Amino acid sequence: MTADNHQRQDDMVCLPRTEFESLLEQAACRGARKALKEVGLADEKAANDIRTLRDLAGSIKTMQRTFLQTIVRWITIGLLALLVAGVAAKIGPFTPK
């Protein structure tokens, strides 16, 4: 065994699977708390803030859908108005006899 291999084995830690999984879970929880704290969602009002953001996102989606529906209605009404005006100009009282 070389000195390099011996050094690598000294750096290794052996743990039972349950302890390893427990350490992983603790590290994940700590990381999640740290991430939430960094974005300002670590206090008691965080759940309410998330609900508010979800409501806002839903409202924006509804607004976009409504806007598109309104534009389509206006275009449809405009085209129908042009069609009616064209028919009225052809057969209406404005045509000379």
Side-chain angles (χ1 to χ4, degrees):
M1 195 181 286
T2 66
D4 191 35
N5 284 342
H6 185 65
Q7 178 65 31
R8 285 186 192 153
Q9 286 182 346
D10 289 342
D11 288 342
M12 292 179 61
V13 176
C14 293
L15 290 174
R17 179 175 287 280
T18 55
E19 286 183 45
F20 178 70
E21 288 174 353
S22 176
L23 283 174
L24 281 177
E25 186 176 342
Q26 289 174 6
C29 287
R30 238 183 257 150
R33 281 191 206 101
K34 183 178 178 183
L36 288 172
K37 190 174 185 177
E38 286 178 6
V39 296
L41 294 173
D43 58 358
E44 309 81 42
K45 297 183 279 184
N48 192 34
D49 293 343
I50 296 293
R51 278 189 222 99
T52 302
L53 287 172
R54 284 182 180 167
D55 289 344
L56 180 62
S59 297
I60 289 172
K61 287 179 185 177
T62 302
M63 183 181 66
Q64 288 173 339
R65 190 176 335 112
T66 303
F67 176 76
L68 289 174
Q69 288 173 350
T70 302
I71 294 297
V72 168
R73 280 189 192 128
W74 285 356
I75 291 171
T76 304
I77 289 171
L79 290 174
L80 287 174
L82 285 173
L83 182 66
V84 169
V87 169
K90 279 285 193 191
I91 62 169
F94 305 113
T95 56
K97 294 188 179 186

